[in-house]
Amino acid sequence: MPTFSYDQGTIHYEEKGMGEPLVFIHGVGLDHAMWEKQVKRLSEEYRVIVYDMLGHGGSSHPPGPYSLSQFVEQLTALVNGLGLDKIHLVGFSMGGMVAQAFALAHIEKMKTLTIMNAVANRTEEQRKAILARVEEVRKIGPETTIEPAIQRWFTPDYLTAQEGIVGRIRTRLQTNNPNSYLSAYTLFATADQELWGKLDQINIPTLVMTGEEDIGSTPEMAKQIQKKIAESELLVVPTMRHMLPVERPDIVNEAIHSFIGRTVFAR
């Protein structure tokens, strides 16, 4: 994979295909590889770009704490460095937060936004639960949180049928830099508060997606996001949990392609 240098470090990225630029942002503790099926299919229609977020994979790992603005700066550097004019942006989970923050900072750089399995406006109970996991990672490391996450993220049938794919996700979580992961996970636990009051400022076509049985990025959260963003539509995928792009790439790829086609050609 190529790397791109900017004033805050290096960005590990991959691109494939030609056409309008379509940029994907992964979730916390993951990396660009989660988008394998999106790269393969959607690069037939678009210039698909995936990258490792700050503190993840092959990109720079600065010391924490992290802020949303650092992730926005990283993406801005990549977009500008690759000479991209206007992009279609897709963010998953924590990447959905980064995508929202980028849209708020650089709406002039965007054509469409897709927010996938993202957290918003956590309840007090939900916030206590995520902060408890952050404290567990802080005290004893991320290892004990990995298997419960895997069980939350995938449906039981997929866990049984796709042990190889699930195993690669598990390995990614097990081999993260502990300090970088803690810094990113801490931000993930709190950034929805920073974004919630500003979402109604996003005024570009937006697709909000999640799984019907995603207990962390719930359908209720997706509905709240969709109500906040004027030009948005909602898709809740039946029976699915958190790892929608990995478990059902067929639905995700078609939804993104159809959404972009409808919104671009309608303008």
Side-chain angles (χ1 to χ4, degrees):
M1 282 181 64
T3 57
F4 175 80
S5 296
Y6 71 118
D7 58 2
Q8 300 299 316
T10 58
I11 306 168
H12 210 50
Y13 75 96
E14 175 184 343
E15 65 171 299
K16 184 178 181 182
M18 300 176 65
E20 297 200 350
L22 174 56
V23 181
F24 289 87
I25 318 174
H26 62 80
V28 66
L30 303 171
D31 63 11
H32 73 280
M34 71 161 287
W35 300 112
E36 177 185 4
K37 299 293 187 181
Q38 283 69 46
V39 173
K40 182 178 180 181
R41 168 65 186 90
L42 293 171
S43 63
E44 298 172 5
E45 311 285 346
Y46 307 94
R47 180 183 176 186
V48 175
I49 299 157
V50 295
Y51 72 100
D52 293 342
M53 286 196 300
L54 187 83
H56 292 76
S59 290
S60 291
H61 290 248
Y66 292 165
S67 66
L68 267 179
S69 62
Q70 287 176 278
F71 290 84
V72 171
E73 288 168 12
Q74 183 199 27
L75 179 53
T76 304
L78 183 63
V79 168
N80 291 339
L82 294 178
L84 308 180
D85 181 20
K86 287 180 176 284
I87 65 171
H88 302 281
L89 185 59
V90 181
F92 168 78
S93 194
M94 179 176 169
M97 293 178 173
V98 176
Q100 291 167 43
F102 183 84
L104 288 165
H106 297 291
I107 204 74
E108 78 284 354
K109 283 284 188 181
M110 297 188 60
K111 284 192 172 182
T112 67
L113 171 63
T114 298
I115 303 168
M116 194 180 309
N117 298 84
V119 173
N121 195 29
R122 287 185 178 101
T123 65
E124 189 61 31
E125 183 179 352
Q126 290 165 336
R127 193 167 308 285
K128 286 180 179 177
I130 186 71
L131 289 174
R133 291 201 292 272
V134 169
E135 192 58 27
E136 185 178 359
V137 172
R138 190 186 312 280
K139 288 181 176 179
I140 60 177
E143 187 64 34
T144 59
T145 67
I146 292 173
E147 205 53 42
I150 293 288
Q151 298 299 319
R152 290 193 307 272
W153 289 358
F154 294 100
T155 64
D157 287 348
Y158 193 86
L159 287 170
T160 301
Q162 299 292 343
E163 291 181 0
I165 294 174
V166 174
R168 289 196 290 275
I169 297 286
R170 184 181 287 111
T171 298
R172 172 70 273 173
L173 294 171
Q174 291 169 340
T175 54
N176 281 320
N177 178 297
N179 292 328
S180 300
Y181 177 74
L182 176 59
S183 296
Y185 197 44
T186 302
L187 178 63
F188 171 67
T190 58
D192 61 302
Q193 289 177 298
E194 180 180 343
L195 291 164
W196 179 244
K198 305 174 185 176
L199 291 186
D200 56 3
Q201 298 173 27
I202 297 175
N203 59 357
I204 55 170
T206 300
L207 172 63
V208 184
M209 301 176 62
T210 199
E212 180 184 33
E213 298 179 11
D214 189 335
I215 62 173
S217 308
T218 64
E220 181 57 35
M221 289 178 176
K223 290 173 186 175
Q224 289 184 56
I225 296 171
Q226 192 266 328
K227 288 179 181 177
K228 275 271 196 176
I229 300 175
E231 293 189 68
S232 64
E233 54 188 77
L234 175 68
L235 174 61
V236 177
V237 181
T239 74
M240 285 296 101
R241 294 188 178 178
H242 190 58
M243 289 295 284
L244 194 53
V246 176
E247 187 161 349
R248 290 304 306 266
D250 54 334
I251 292 176
V252 167
N253 295 346
E254 174 56 31
I256 292 171
H257 181 50
S258 175
F259 167 67
I260 291 174
R262 288 195 311 277
T263 56
V264 169
F265 291 115
R267 296 193 153 210

